[in-house]
């Protein structure tokens, strides 16, 4: 069974702090997506990474895909209360089977 | 943005009753999906569709059926609701195979 493990499961920080969340697997993925979900809403796509070693930036968010395409990280600089939400990673396995979802990291940024 | 609407947003129903959830999209995308989201289990695929009358089972399809008679509508039916089907249900579309998902706002279903 292919799994995507996200860590930490929960994170509560103060406004202005930096943080990193991780998405790890023993399997290779042809691409990996990060989503953010706010309470009462569906997940919203943040970024897709497809190349090993790729780094993408979205304002204060930096996404990295591991060289071996088995893991990814999301780094947030100077977190703000608006960053609060559930961060989900989802990967497309190398054999192009259905999308595999992580369980998410629940982030709370306190003012 | 792809317009995707789920209805109802909230529903409480009794055990043993049939329930139908609706997902409507406005842009004729081919791929549509039904997920449920539960604490500790994350998002789990129930059923999906690759086109009109072309549907298939996901990982947690028992107790659920779907229909897609028009491109824009994907219906999820709980034949006889059970308490284990209390969950938040999300519909999603994909603009292309293996592309990213666009999700609806979800339906919170409570089976009492």
């Amino acid at each position: 069974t292919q799994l995507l493990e996200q860590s930490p499961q929960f994170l509560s920080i103060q406004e202005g702090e930096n943080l990193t969340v991780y998405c790890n697997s023993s399997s290779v993925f042809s691409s990996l997506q990060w989503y953010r979900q706010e309470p009462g809403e569906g997940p919203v796509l943040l970024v897709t990474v497809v190349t090993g070693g790729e780094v993408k930036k979205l304002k204060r968010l930096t996404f990295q895909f591991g060289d071996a395409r088995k893991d990814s990280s999301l780094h947030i600089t100077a977190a703000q209360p608006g960053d609060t939400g559930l961060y989900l990673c989802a990967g497309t396995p190398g054999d192009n089977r259905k999308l595999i979802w992580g369980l998410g990291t629940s982030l709370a940024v306190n003012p | 943005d792809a317009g995707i609407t789920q209805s109802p947003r909230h529903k409480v129903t009794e055990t043993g009753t049939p329930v139908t959830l609706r997902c409507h999209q406005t842009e004729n995308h081919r791929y549509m999906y039904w997920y449920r989201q539960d604490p500790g289990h994350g998002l789990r695929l129930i059923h999906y569709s690759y086109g009109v009358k072309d549907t298939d089972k996901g990982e947690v399809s028992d107790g659920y059926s779907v229909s897609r008679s028009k491109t824009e509508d994907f219906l999820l039916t709980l034949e006889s609701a059970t308490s284990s089907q209390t969950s938040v249900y999300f519909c999603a579309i994909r603009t292309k195979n293996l592309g990213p998902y666009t999700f609806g706002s979800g339906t919170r279903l409570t089976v009492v």
Side-chain angles (χ1 to χ4, degrees), chain A residues 19-42:
Chain A
L19 67 116
T20 302
V21 299
Y22 300 93
C23 178
N24 296 310
S25 177
S26 59
S27 302
V28 174
F29 292 92
S30 59
S31 67
L32 196 137
Q33 300 160 14
W34 284 92
Y35 294 79
R36 180 169 66 212
Q37 184 178 18
E38 299 185 7
E41 297 296 328

Side-chain angles (χ1 to χ4, degrees), chain B residues 1-19:
Chain B
D1 286 347
I4 179 168
T5 305
Q6 291 186 235
S7 59
R9 288 297 312 273
H10 302 272
K11 186 171 181 65
V12 180
T13 192
E14 294 185 350
T15 298
T17 60
V19 177

Side-chain angles (χ1 to χ4, degrees), chain A residues 20-109:
Chain A
T20 302
V21 299
Y22 300 93
C23 178
N24 296 310
S25 177
S26 59
S27 302
V28 174
F29 292 92
S30 59
S31 67
L32 196 137
Q33 300 160 14
W34 284 92
Y35 294 79
R36 180 169 66 212
Q37 184 178 18
E38 299 185 7
E41 297 296 328
V44 175
L45 179 72
L46 296 173
V47 75
T48 300
V49 286
V50 296
T51 304
E54 182 177 5
V55 176
K56 281 191 173 179
K57 293 191 175 183
L58 184 64
K59 296 183 180 178
R60 293 175 294 99
L61 279 61
T62 301
F63 304 85
Q64 186 164 7
F65 201 14
D67 290 342
R69 292 184 289 133
K70 294 182 179 181
D71 54 82
S72 182
S73 64
L74 159 59
H75 182 79
I76 301 179
T77 302
Q80 299 177 0
D83 296 325
T84 293
L86 179 67
Y87 288 81
L88 294 161
C89 65
T92 301
D95 59 0
N96 286 336
R97 288 185 291 158
K98 297 180 187 61
L99 203 64
I100 306 297
W101 290 88
L103 295 184
T105 292
S106 180
L107 172 65
V109 182

Side-chain angles (χ1 to χ4, degrees), chain B residues 43-65:
Chain B
L43 283 162
R44 292 182 290 176
L45 182 64
I46 305 171
H47 280 280
Y48 59 99
S49 171
Y50 286 172
V52 172
K53 297 184 180 179
D54 186 2
T55 65
D56 207 347
K57 296 179 179 180
E59 60 183 297
V60 289
S61 60
D62 287 349
Y64 302 95
S65 63

Side-chain angles (χ1 to χ4, degrees), chain A residues 37 40-43, chain B residues 4-6 9 23 89-93 102-107:
Chain A
Q37 184 178 18
E41 297 296 328
Chain B
I4 179 168
T5 305
Q6 291 186 235
R9 288 297 312 273
C23 178
Y89 291 86
F90 287 101
C91 176
I93 60 174
T102 299
F103 284 85
S105 296
T107 294

